[in-house]
């Protein structure tokens, strides 16, 4: 078996083992770089890192149509339930959740989090996912923090880090993040969606290789990698 990870632009991804499909932060209909329409996706799980509109995106619509289980923190899941989303799994930072695809931990993220209507959304998170014998870390929206060393110490097959700057860490800190995470492979995200986060991702990937020895690839929205 293998895992296929497809970038839909910004911090939106699908991850599938051929049997289970996970959709991360589905900001699609409002995203200038989205590689899919909400109606084209049928995930069993939707992972939501925090409450900002460029991450919540089309979560409610997709969850209602597909019956997908939304995995997030308690506060966001309560908000989704009030909007009519029936299947949610609301944990909190540091906690592992077991699901049909494997297991997942909500990890620390240094950021802010308010839902699109101004409701409080608890603490933002990243995701550490164990699926198909692999360990994948999605930093999601965050500044650089030294506990990334602890996440990396678990042995990562893949790390996905934001490089956009302005709203999250930028290219320099993202290189440092990869040096701490020591994944087999790294991918950049959260760039080029809006003018303030325009970045040269290919240049960043080349820097990662030189400065960390880690394999890094800048893919385009719509493209996939296999793990
Ligand atoms: Ni955010
Ligand atoms: Mn964001």
């Amino acid at each position: 078996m293998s895992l296929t990870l497809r970038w839909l632009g910004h911090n939106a991804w699908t991850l599938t083992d051929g049997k289970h499909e996970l959709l991360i932060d589905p900001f699609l209909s409002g995203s200038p770089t989205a590689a899919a329409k909400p109606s084209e996706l049928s995930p069993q799980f939707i992972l939501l890192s925090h409450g900002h509109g460029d991450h919540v995106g089309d979560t409610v619509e997709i969850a209602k149509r597909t019956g997908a289980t939304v995995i997030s923190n308690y506060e966001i899941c309560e908000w989704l339930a009030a909007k009519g989303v029936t299947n949610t799994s609301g944990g909190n930072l540091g906690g592992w959740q077991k699901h049909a695809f494997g297991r997942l931990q909500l990890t620390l993220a240094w950021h802010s989090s308010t839902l699109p209507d101004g409701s409080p959304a608890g603490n933002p998170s990243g995701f550490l996912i164990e699926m198909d014998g692999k360990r994948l870390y999605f930093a999601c929206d965050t500044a650089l923090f030294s506990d990334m060393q602890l996440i990396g110490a678990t042995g990562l097959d893949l790390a996905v880090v934001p490089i956009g700057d302005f709203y999250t860490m930028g290219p320099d800190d993202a290189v440092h993040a990869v040096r701490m995470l020591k994944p087999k492979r790294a991918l950049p995200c959260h760039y080029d969606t809006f003018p303030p986060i325009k970045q040269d991702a290919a240049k960043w990937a080349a820097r990662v290789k030189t400065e960390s020895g880690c394999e890094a690839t800048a893919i385009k929205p719509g493209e996939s990698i296999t793990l």
Side-chain angles (χ1 to χ4, degrees), residues 10-11 50 52 54-55 111 141 167-168 190 194:
H10 209 53
N11 195 46
H50 65 293
H52 289 157
D54 61 319
H55 296 257
H111 193 62
D141 282 15
Y167 304 112
T168 66
H190 213 277
F194 312 110

Coordinates of all heavy atoms in Angstrom, one line a residue, residues 10-11 50 52 54-55 111 141 167-168 190 194, ligand 2:
H10 N -2.9 26.5 -1.0 CA -2.9 27.0 0.4 C -2.6 25.9 1.4 O -1.5 25.3 1.3 CB -4.3 27.7 0.6 CG -4.1 28.8 1.7 ND1 -3.2 29.8 1.5 CD2 -4.8 29.1 2.8 CE1 -3.4 30.7 2.6 NE2 -4.3 30.2 3.4
N11 N -3.5 25.6 2.4 CA -3.2 24.5 3.3 C -4.2 23.4 3.1 O -4.5 22.6 4.0 CB -3.2 25.0 4.7 CG -2.5 23.9 5.7 OD1 -1.4 23.4 5.4 ND2 -3.2 23.6 6.8
H50 N -7.6 25.1 12.4 CA -8.0 26.3 13.2 C -9.2 27.0 12.6 O -9.6 26.6 11.5 CB -6.8 27.2 13.6 CG -6.2 27.9 12.4 ND1 -5.5 27.2 11.4 CD2 -6.2 29.2 12.1 CE1 -5.1 28.1 10.5 NE2 -5.5 29.3 10.9
H52 N -9.7 30.1 11.2 CA -9.6 31.1 10.2 C -10.3 30.7 8.9 O -10.2 29.5 8.5 CB -8.2 31.5 10.0 CG -7.6 32.3 11.1 ND1 -6.2 32.4 11.4 CD2 -8.2 33.0 12.1 CE1 -6.0 33.1 12.4 NE2 -7.2 33.5 12.9
D54 N -9.5 31.0 5.8 CA -8.7 30.4 4.8 C -8.4 29.0 5.1 O -7.5 28.4 4.5 CB -7.5 31.2 4.5 CG -6.6 31.4 5.7 OD1 -7.0 31.6 6.8 OD2 -5.3 31.3 5.5
H55 N -9.0 28.4 6.2 CA -8.8 27.0 6.5 C -10.2 26.3 6.7 O -10.3 25.2 6.2 CB -8.0 26.9 7.8 CG -6.6 27.4 7.6 ND1 -5.5 26.6 7.4 CD2 -6.2 28.7 7.4 CE1 -4.4 27.4 7.2 NE2 -4.8 28.7 7.2
H111 N -0.1 30.5 16.8 CA -0.9 31.3 15.8 C -2.1 31.8 16.6 O -2.1 31.8 17.8 CB -1.4 30.3 14.7 CG -1.9 30.9 13.5 ND1 -1.2 31.7 12.7 CD2 -3.1 30.8 12.9 CE1 -2.0 32.1 11.7 NE2 -3.2 31.5 11.8
D141 N -0.9 26.5 10.2 CA -0.5 27.9 10.4 C 0.3 28.1 11.8 O -0.3 27.9 12.8 CB -1.7 28.9 10.5 CG -2.2 29.2 9.1 OD1 -1.8 28.4 8.1 OD2 -3.0 30.1 8.9
Y167 N 1.7 35.9 7.7 CA 0.7 35.3 8.6 C 1.2 34.1 9.4 O 0.7 33.6 10.4 CB -0.6 34.8 7.8 CG -1.2 35.8 7.0 CD1 -1.2 35.8 5.6 CD2 -1.9 36.9 7.6 CE1 -1.8 36.7 4.9 CE2 -2.5 37.9 6.9 CZ -2.5 37.8 5.5 OH -3.1 38.8 4.7
T168 N 2.3 33.5 8.9 CA 2.9 32.3 9.5 C 4.4 32.5 9.4 O 4.9 33.5 8.9 CB 2.6 31.0 8.7 OG1 3.2 31.1 7.4 CG2 1.1 30.8 8.5
H190 N 1.0 27.2 2.1 CA 0.6 28.5 2.6 C 1.4 29.6 2.0 O 1.9 30.5 2.7 CB 0.6 28.5 4.1 CG -0.4 29.4 4.8 ND1 -0.3 30.7 4.9 CD2 -1.6 29.1 5.3 CE1 -1.3 31.2 5.5 NE2 -2.2 30.3 5.8
F194 N -2.1 34.7 -1.8 CA -2.4 36.2 -1.7 C -1.1 36.9 -1.9 O -0.1 36.4 -1.5 CB -3.1 36.5 -0.4 CG -4.2 35.6 0.1 CD1 -4.0 34.7 1.1 CD2 -5.4 35.6 -0.6 CE1 -5.1 33.9 1.5 CE2 -6.4 34.8 -0.2 CZ -6.3 34.0 0.9
Ligands
LIG2 MN1 -3.9 30.7 7.1

